[in-house]
Amino acid sequence: AMDVEGDNDGEFILGDDATSASILKSAVLRQATEWGPNKEDNGRYIVLLVSSSEHDAVALFSAPRGSNDTSNFALVGTFEVLPPAMPDSARDSAKLLSSTPLIQQTLENGMTQVALGLVWSNGIGSVVTLACDVKTGKFHISQLTLDGSDSVDSTSNFDGDGDEDSEVAKYYASNRIVAVDIFEASCNLFKMKASDESNTKSFNNRESEEMKRSPKETYGAGLSTDDFDADDYELYGSAVAMGESKVQSEGVADTGVSRADEEGSKTIAPTRINPMGGSIDRAGPSTTFLAICRQSGSLEIYDLSKVDGTRGIISVPSTNGGSEGPVSGSSLVWRSSGCGLGTSVLTQNGSKAPRIPRMHSTRAAEIRFFFAGPSTSAWSSDSDTTASTAAELPLGGALAPLRALCLLVETDLGDVHLYTASERGAAIDFARTPTGMVGRPSKIQANHTVKLQRRKIIAVPSSDPLNTYRHNRLNRFAAISGQSGLFAGTTRPFWVVSERGAPAVVQHRARHVAPAGGKDVPVAGFCCDIALPDTSSGGDNDGFLTLHERIGQVGSQRLTVFDGLSDIFAPLGLFPGGGLCIQKVPLGVTVRGIQFIDDVTISSATRPLYAVLISREIEADQGLLDNDGLSPEERQKIKDEKEAEKIRRQVEADLGGFEVEQEWVEEIEHDDYFKVDASLGKAPSLPKRLFELWLVDAASGWSVIDSHQLSEVEHGTSMEVMTLSELIPDTGTALAASNQDNFENDLFIVVGTGIIDKDGEDVAAKGRILLFNVTRHTEEQVEKGEAHAEMTFVYDKDIALGPVTSLSCLSSEGKNRLVVGAGAEISLEQWTGTKLLQVGFFHVNMQVQRISIFKSFFLLSDAYDSLHFLVWRESDKSLTLLAKDYEPVVLHATGLMSRGGAMSFVCHDDRENLQFLQYAPNDVASRGGNKLVCRADFHLGAQTTAIQSHFCRSSLLVNSATPTSTLAALKQQDPLFGRIEDDQRFAVHFGSVDGGLASLVPLSEQAFWRLTALQSVMSNALESSCALSCRAWRLYRRSARRGGCRSSDRMKGVIDGELVAKFADLSLATQEDLASAIGSTVELIMDNILDLKCAGMVI
């Protein structure tokens, strides 16, 4: 490194000793950014933070002025960054632990400077600033020291006893700096709105004065008092209407867990002024803020523009019980406590410090402030660049409320805490946003890492992890697809984006990512603000790239470039929670069924094709009733003939002694019901419903490339895409015998229908099976204007038993046959190449609702007679009943779930219950194996119509978008993977009619009983919604019809995942209390919740 003038302030000196090659080859790159001191030199300089074994330095490179060649950068100079030394800390032994992203600051003279925050192992922090002198053109670097002396923090709140407790208390009393962040926001962001009368009062007194003012006095003349009507004050009270945070304290008996929220029990209620805690875009030019998080949990925010540069140090602020606000004119603008401890609300200068944990010594490892919502650069491309705030932009007033100021904290344990800022009277608080995520590594991942180290696939870390440099994992972005937010490259990467002002979490999946355990994090690098050409508009897209660990040799990486997040921020997209994003596709019709055509020769990932069964409403013309083309005399003649025929039948019925209605009522025609009087108007149109089968191309904007319309009185009831084997009937000939072993498989779209005659319910309904084939066109045909694929009608078969309600495919000994459920019978149909031939059947009591098949076993649900468990025997082509549920239950959906060799049947009834049945011939309750035994029941509280099975992912595979390839790589690393029962689990998932998505996951016995105890304690210790009982809500609901068929005992046996998942969003002190109440640890419970989350992920 080159010599500099002074310790904290130095000037770059050009020399011949330092070269670009010597720095880049001998040092490790930590940070990099483009920089231009002014608009003319924008992007001409590159600032690097590099480290060697003994030195850390900032290096500046530049490209030749006036040259477009960005590959030839020359070294301008270097500056060695020395660890600051306080009186009670050692400089020589200090190591660089972390650094903030390089941020550019705009100065008053229009120039820009680069700021960088550093954290050292001796608990001291520093801010390095690189600027250019306008007059001399020389570059200057200044270093600001952040005091982290190990003095006792008076805000600590600990009441433990013993040596171990004193060590924990001493740990949380330290003021060592553990994380810093530098961000840019409005200069008035953290200013309190205090009146002249309250300038001399304390913060709490100012808050009470705010509550006494009118809305117009508090929020300005732009807000009318009419915005607050009598209902607002009657329902919510004046305090809530003005955004006051209420403090509530409660107690819980018999569990040993305090129900009072240790953070002060503050609940920030949404108001009409601040509906989602949302935008805090106040007037005034932007400035740079410095956030400091200390080991004690104290979070301090400073205005760097007000820091006294002559002192070169920011000392630990003095406190007075935490009740006084920042001194006017001071650089300290905001302070709170509890950061990194999971506190529910970070309150500005809160009078009560949060409780600290008793058994954990944790701290924040990285913090990041960011805005989530529409990007300010996307509001107006032609806007006035002199506008000082977003509100002055043309669309700023409309889009500013959709931006939320957020804070993301990652602890050294791996926990992730998301906070959202909201105004509470005159102050700003950060309320924790529930995500239900478990960010820490799993035990399976730790065990897999040990296995890789034993096999010498990866090396054992030699350095102390506490003194190892930590690369940035929390990366904010300002303009990706017109949105701002944050990408967190943690153990399980995710995005934090905004939906209508509320931050939401979306999980990140990488293609062909290596199994977890080889590296600490799967995504090693992230870079945004990459201009990529947009072929559709001719402009540029703001893209980004990621660098993640790929399958293969451990350490190999994959670089992926994305052109934006258009799929996430779709015009009709939304974030329902659970780490998912959903895009609505308006088709203008009612979708009855959708199936992906899973054939690489027809449909691919780049051009997926779907078979969609839809219905649409039409208005049928009844003009024939107005004018049938007959003269009045002809109509009268026809009427007389019908009347004479009616009299004749009446006479025959009287002479024969039978009821006439049974003979002729079915032949009454429409003109016997009514007569159209043309003088009063014409016959109105008749609403009818038409069913169609569509072939949809998702790559072309979900366009319909082919369709087939069903008949007028035909309703589409089911649809499946399946492969059927072309089998010739076994007639004993040599040709038929050879065909049983050599046959072809054809892909079909199979549609089941129900036909209702024009006479309505007077005639029994029938059904029909339709087979369609899909062929893909060649490139030459597509260039001529034809669609990429077409659908061809192949065959249909009439079903006289009733409407076809279920279609499935049975694969037995490599032969695929069609299973049809119609009326009270299921039949097995065999495709012969020209027609469907029935080869087996089974008759049920009432109505076939759904058929689920695994191997050669059938799970048949009857609409009024519960479940039937059958087996198919290929030898004699017969269906045999093994067991059934004898209770009269109305079922709507059934599914299969398994763990190891145990399988359970899941059924959903009309009372919104879930039952778990099992085939157990050796159980006494099975009546000799003829009855399905009920193992558990649960009240879901929502209606569903379909239940599907999925493979339970391990936490080693959850980061992969291609789990098949990642699973293959995992088995190469660990040949024993998949031997235990938890690696052989199949769960079920379903959607509800109210738009929900849920999963049911089988658990091991240890995890089940641990979570059962936790569920019992949490239901008592936590405040429930509307003061309702969680346990009472989940009890099995019985109808009067089933009361005499079931015993009064409820089986229960199901964990309420929605309740236990709240454990991850509690503070660490509360988690310790709950874990101690059940005799467990926080680590075990968090690992079980993580396993539950990973196994329940469907996408």
Side-chain angles (χ1 to χ4, degrees):
M2 303 181 63
D3 295 334
V4 295
E5 299 177 359
D7 242 355
N8 293 330
D9 191 78
E11 177 183 346
F12 272 97
I13 303 176
L14 301 179
D16 298 332
D17 296 337
T19 62
S20 302
S22 64
I23 292 178
L24 297 179
K25 289 183 178 180
S26 61
V28 178
L29 179 63
R30 302 299 190 189
Q31 294 281 345
T33 186
E34 294 181 346
W35 176 50
N38 49 50
K39 293 183 179 180
E40 297 178 357
D41 294 332
N42 188 22
R44 198 171 74 89
Y45 293 92
I46 293 181
V47 182
L48 304 180
L49 173 64
V50 294
S51 300
S52 63
S53 59
E54 298 180 356
H55 302 283
D56 301 288
V58 174
L60 179 65
F61 295 81
S62 69
R65 185 179 296 275
S67 173
N68 294 327
D69 184 12
T70 59
S71 62
N72 185 19
F73 280 86
L75 177 65
V76 177
T78 58
F79 171 74
E80 183 177 5
V81 181
L82 298 176
M86 302 301 294
D88 55 347
S89 63
R91 166 182 287 184
D92 297 336
S93 61
K95 300 293 184 182
L96 181 62
L97 295 184
S98 63
S99 60
T100 66
L102 292 159
I103 184 173
Q104 298 188 26
Q105 303 173 253
T106 304
L107 304 178
E108 296 180 357
N109 56 5
M111 304 289 285
T112 61
Q113 64 180 12
V114 177
L116 173 68
L118 305 175
V119 177
W120 303 88
S121 59
N122 58 358
I124 309 299
S126 60
V127 177
V128 179
T129 305
L130 172 61
C132 179
D133 193 336
V134 181
K135 297 180 180 180
T136 63
K138 296 182 179 180
F139 296 94
H140 293 269
I141 281 188
S142 61
Q143 186 169 352
L144 176 67
T145 302
L146 311 177
D147 184 12
S149 57
D150 250 344
S151 60
V152 177
D153 187 3
S154 61
T155 61
S156 298
N157 183 17
F158 189 79
D159 53 0
D161 299 325
D163 296 338
E164 185 178 352
D165 292 343
S166 62
E167 290 295 328
V168 175
K170 182 179 179 181
Y171 179 88
Y172 287 109
S174 173
N175 283 319
R176 293 170 57 91
I177 296 177
V178 294
V180 297
D181 185 35
I182 301 176
F183 63 99
E184 190 173 1
S186 171
C187 64
N188 297 322
L189 178 63
F190 295 99
K191 286 188 177 180
M192 289 190 276
K193 297 174 285 187
S195 63
D196 296 335
E197 293 80 9
S198 60
N199 282 337
T200 58
K201 298 182 180 180
S202 66
F203 173 76
N204 292 331
N205 291 335
R206 287 199 300 268
E207 183 186 33
S208 61
E209 289 292 330
E210 282 286 341
M211 298 300 104
K212 298 178 182 179
R213 300 177 190 170
S214 65
K216 188 172 183 179
E217 293 173 340
T218 303
Y219 294 95
L223 179 65
S224 173
T225 54
D226 296 337
D227 294 337
F228 294 90
D229 52 23
D231 294 336
D232 292 329
Y233 291 100
E234 181 180 354
L235 293 176
Y236 307 110
S238 59
V240 175
M242 304 311 299
E244 181 190 19
S245 299
K246 296 185 177 180
V247 180
Q248 303 172 350
S249 298
E250 303 172 13
V252 177
D254 300 332
T255 61
V257 181
S258 174
R259 220 170 147 176
D261 195 5
E262 68 281 0
E263 301 83 10
S265 299
K266 292 182 178 295
T267 303
I268 298 181
T271 66
R272 296 176 62 178
I273 301 299
N274 191 17
M276 291 188 179
S279 169
I280 323 244
D281 242 344
R282 294 182 178 171
S286 62
T287 188
T288 304
F289 292 96
L290 169 66
I292 300 176
C293 184
R294 303 185 183 272
Q295 186 171 294
S296 61
S298 175
L299 179 62
E300 305 156 9
I301 300 178
Y302 297 85
D303 187 350
L304 280 180
S305 63
K306 297 182 180 180
V307 174
D308 187 2
T310 59
R311 296 182 55 195
I313 183 172
I314 295 181
S315 304
V316 180
S318 60
T319 58
N320 184 16
S323 61
E324 292 186 1
V327 181
S328 177
S330 172
S331 60
L332 179 63
V333 297
W334 195 88
R335 189 186 184 196
S336 182
S337 56
C339 182
L341 305 180
T343 308
S344 62
V345 178
L346 297 177
T347 307
Q348 181 171 350
N349 302 290
S351 58
K352 182 180 179 181
R355 282 196 307 123
I356 63 176
R358 294 173 176 266
M359 295 170 284
H360 292 82
S361 297
T362 184
R363 57 182 175 81
E366 187 174 355
I367 61 174
R368 194 73 70 237
F369 285 84
F370 63 97
F371 283 95
S375 174
T376 55
S377 61
W379 287 352
S380 178
S381 59
D382 301 327
S383 61
D384 185 9
T385 57
T386 62
S388 59
T389 62
E392 297 179 13
L393 295 174
L395 296 180
L399 296 181
L402 300 181
R403 287 171 60 84
L405 176 61
C406 302
L407 166 64
L408 192 67
V409 181
E410 185 183 10
T411 67
D412 57 347
L413 297 177
D415 295 333
V416 179
H417 307 150
L418 176 61
Y419 292 90
T420 305
S422 62
E423 295 179 283
R424 182 178 60 88
I428 290 180
D429 289 346
F430 285 86
R432 187 172 175 184
T433 302
T435 59
M437 294 191 311
V438 180
R440 61 181 63 187
S442 63
K443 285 193 173 182
I444 299 178
Q445 180 177 343
N447 295 336
H448 184 65
T449 302
V450 174
K451 292 180 181 179
L452 295 179
Q453 293 174 354
R454 290 177 178 175
R455 299 183 61 187
K456 297 183 179 181
I457 297 179
I458 60 176
V460 179
S462 57
S463 59
D464 183 8
L466 297 178
N467 293 326
T468 304
Y469 180 83
R470 171 192 169 94
H471 292 274
N472 288 329
R473 300 181 182 180
L474 309 182
N475 307 276
R476 51 179 166 243
F477 57 88
I480 297 181
S481 298
Q483 296 287 326
S484 301
L486 181 136
F487 173 76
T490 57
T491 307
R492 279 163 290 281
F494 61 92
W495 297 80
V496 180
V497 293
S498 176
E499 180 191 16
R500 293 170 291 180
V505 173
V506 178
Q507 297 291 340
H508 179 81
R509 303 283 188 267
R511 294 179 58 83
H512 308 294
V513 68
K519 297 292 183 179
D520 293 336
V521 291
V523 179
F526 174 84
C527 180
C528 59
D529 297 334
I530 300 176
L532 299 175
D534 187 358
T535 56
S536 59
S537 62
D540 292 336
N541 276 338
D542 294 326
F544 64 95
L545 61 86
T546 60
L547 184 68
H548 68 262
E549 307 297 326
R550 68 180 299 274
I551 58 176
Q553 184 180 1
V554 177
S556 58
Q557 296 177 324
R558 180 186 178 100
L559 183 67
T560 309
V561 181
F562 300 85
D563 62 352
L565 296 173
S566 57
D567 293 339
I568 295 180
F569 299 113
L572 296 176
L574 53 96
F575 307 108
L580 301 178
C581 60
I582 294 178
Q583 179 181 355
K584 295 187 292 185
V585 181
L587 298 178
V589 294
T590 302
V591 177
R592 303 290 179 172
I594 182 170
Q595 288 282 329
F596 173 67
I597 301 178
D598 193 5
D599 191 339
V600 294
T601 62
I602 301 174
S603 178
S604 61
T606 57
R607 185 167 292 277
L609 299 181
Y610 292 86
V612 184
L613 181 64
I614 63 97
S615 66
R616 55 188 178 90
E617 304 293 333
I618 64 171
E619 298 290 337
D621 185 19
Q622 299 189 94
L624 183 63
L625 299 177
D626 299 329
N627 185 8
D628 54 5
L630 301 177
S631 62
E633 293 79 7
E634 292 174 339
R635 294 194 190 95
Q636 185 64 35
K637 182 179 179 181
I638 294 175
K639 184 177 181 180
D640 295 341
E641 291 176 354
K642 290 182 177 181
E643 186 67 24
E645 180 66 18
K646 182 179 179 180
I647 295 175
R648 187 184 65 81
R649 290 188 177 186
Q650 181 69 47
V651 172
E652 291 179 354
D654 294 341
L655 296 176
F658 55 85
E659 295 294 335
V660 65
E661 287 77 7
Q662 297 180 3
E663 296 292 334
W664 61 272
V665 70
E666 297 179 0
E667 300 181 7
I668 300 179
E669 298 182 2
H670 291 286
D671 54 0
D672 291 325
Y673 290 104
F674 59 87
K675 179 179 180 181
V676 177
D677 189 352
S679 61
L680 300 178
K682 297 183 178 180
S685 58
L686 182 66
K688 289 187 177 181
R689 180 177 297 166
L690 287 182
F691 286 79
E692 296 181 4
L693 177 64
W694 285 0
L695 184 62
V696 178
D697 184 5
S700 301
W702 293 86
S703 60
V704 181
I705 59 178
D706 202 355
S707 63
H708 177 84
Q709 181 177 322
L710 303 182
S711 62
E712 182 179 358
V713 294
E714 193 170 18
H715 294 246
T717 54
S718 58
M719 180 198 66
E720 291 289 338
V721 177
M722 65 182 67
T723 301
L724 298 179
S725 302
E726 186 176 337
L727 300 173
I728 299 177
D730 190 3
T731 58
T733 61
L735 178 61
S738 62
N739 178 258
Q740 301 301 317
D741 298 326
N742 301 320
F743 51 84
E744 295 181 356
N745 294 328
D746 299 326
L747 182 70
F748 292 99
I749 302 177
V750 185
V751 179
T753 67
I755 302 175
I756 301 178
D757 193 72
K758 62 181 181 180
D759 293 325
E761 297 180 356
D762 294 331
V763 180
K766 300 180 180 179
R768 193 163 66 119
I769 302 174
L770 297 91
L771 271 62
F772 298 87
N773 197 357
V774 180
T775 56
R776 186 163 185 171
H777 290 159
T778 61
E779 296 295 336
E780 292 78 7
Q781 292 175 317
V782 175
E783 292 177 356
K784 293 180 180 179
E786 298 185 11
H788 289 271
E790 66 175 350
M791 185 172 54
T792 306
F793 173 74
V794 177
Y795 173 78
D796 68 329
K797 180 178 181 179
D798 295 331
I799 304 296
L801 300 173
V804 179
T805 56
S806 179
L807 294 171
S808 302
C809 181
L810 171 65
S811 181
S812 177
E813 298 182 0
K815 304 172 185 178
N816 297 334
R817 296 183 177 91
L818 174 63
V819 181
V820 181
E825 187 173 289
I826 63 173
S827 61
L828 272 76
E829 305 286 341
Q830 181 173 290
W831 175 245
T832 62
T834 57
K835 64 178 182 178
L836 290 174
L837 179 65
Q838 182 176 347
V839 294
F841 72 95
F842 183 82
H843 191 81
V844 297
N845 294 336
M846 295 296 294
Q847 172 72 36
V848 176
Q849 189 75 7
R850 182 176 176 82
I851 303 173
S852 300
I853 300 176
F854 63 100
K855 295 184 178 180
S856 59
F857 296 94
F858 286 61
L859 186 62
L860 172 64
S861 61
D862 194 308
Y864 291 93
D865 202 21
S866 196
L867 286 181
H868 296 69
F869 186 48
L870 299 88
V871 63
W872 164 260
R873 293 187 174 88
E874 183 68 28
S875 58
D876 56 354
K877 295 182 175 53
S878 63
L879 279 172
T880 305
L881 177 66
L882 296 178
K884 61 174 291 187
D885 182 19
Y886 288 90
E887 297 175 6
V889 180
V890 179
L891 296 185
H892 288 174
T894 56
L896 304 168
M897 61 188 303
S898 65
R899 178 179 177 269
M903 175 169 288
S904 299
F905 310 139
V906 185
C907 56
H908 182 270
D909 59 20
D910 60 330
R911 303 286 291 182
E912 300 179 347
N913 297 314
L914 289 174
Q915 282 185 273
F916 297 83
L917 306 176
Q918 197 172 48
Y919 176 61
N922 298 326
D923 197 311
V924 178
S926 65
R927 301 178 186 177
N930 296 323
K931 183 179 184 298
L932 296 176
V933 181
C934 180
R935 298 299 189 187
D937 50 40
F938 184 75
H939 180 67
L940 182 62
Q943 197 69 55
T944 184
T945 57
I947 299 177
Q948 299 290 337
S949 301
H950 69 272
F951 175 71
C952 293
R953 297 188 192 181
S954 168
S955 59
L956 303 177
L957 309 173
V958 73
N959 297 322
S960 178
T962 54
T964 303
S965 61
T966 305
L967 179 60
L970 177 59
K971 290 183 177 180
Q972 290 182 354
Q973 296 178 358
D974 184 9
L976 298 180
F977 180 82
R979 302 289 182 87
I980 62 177
E981 292 184 344
D982 282 344
D983 297 335
Q984 305 172 8
R985 292 184 297 172
F986 281 87
V988 296
H989 63 275
F990 54 88
S992 60
V993 295
D994 55 2
L997 179 65
S999 297
L1000 296 172
V1001 180
L1003 297 175
S1004 63
E1005 186 175 1
Q1006 291 181 348
F1008 171 78
W1009 289 116
R1010 183 179 297 115
L1011 295 181
T1012 299
L1014 178 66
Q1015 176 181 253
S1016 177
V1017 173
M1018 291 184 65
S1019 62
N1020 294 327
L1022 298 184
E1023 181 181 355
S1024 60
S1025 301
C1026 304
L1028 300 176
S1029 173
C1030 297
R1031 286 186 289 184
W1033 167 247
R1034 296 305 184 184
L1035 291 178
Y1036 185 87
R1037 304 288 198 276
R1038 290 192 300 268
S1039 64
R1041 182 168 177 258
R1042 281 177 273 173
C1045 301
R1046 286 200 58 178
S1047 61
S1048 58
D1049 297 332
R1050 292 184 172 94
M1051 302 302 297
K1052 302 179 183 178
V1054 181
I1055 303 296
D1056 188 353
E1058 185 178 0
L1059 175 61
V1060 298
K1062 295 180 180 179
F1063 183 86
D1065 294 320
L1066 300 176
S1067 65
L1068 187 55
T1070 305
Q1071 291 176 352
E1072 289 181 347
D1073 292 343
L1074 294 174
S1076 300
I1078 65 174
S1080 183
T1081 62
V1082 176
E1083 288 74 17
L1084 285 175
I1085 296 175
M1086 294 289 277
D1087 192 69
N1088 292 150
I1089 296 177
L1090 174 60
D1091 176 71
L1092 185 65
K1093 290 280 186 180
C1094 295
M1097 290 183 178
V1098 183
I1099 301 176

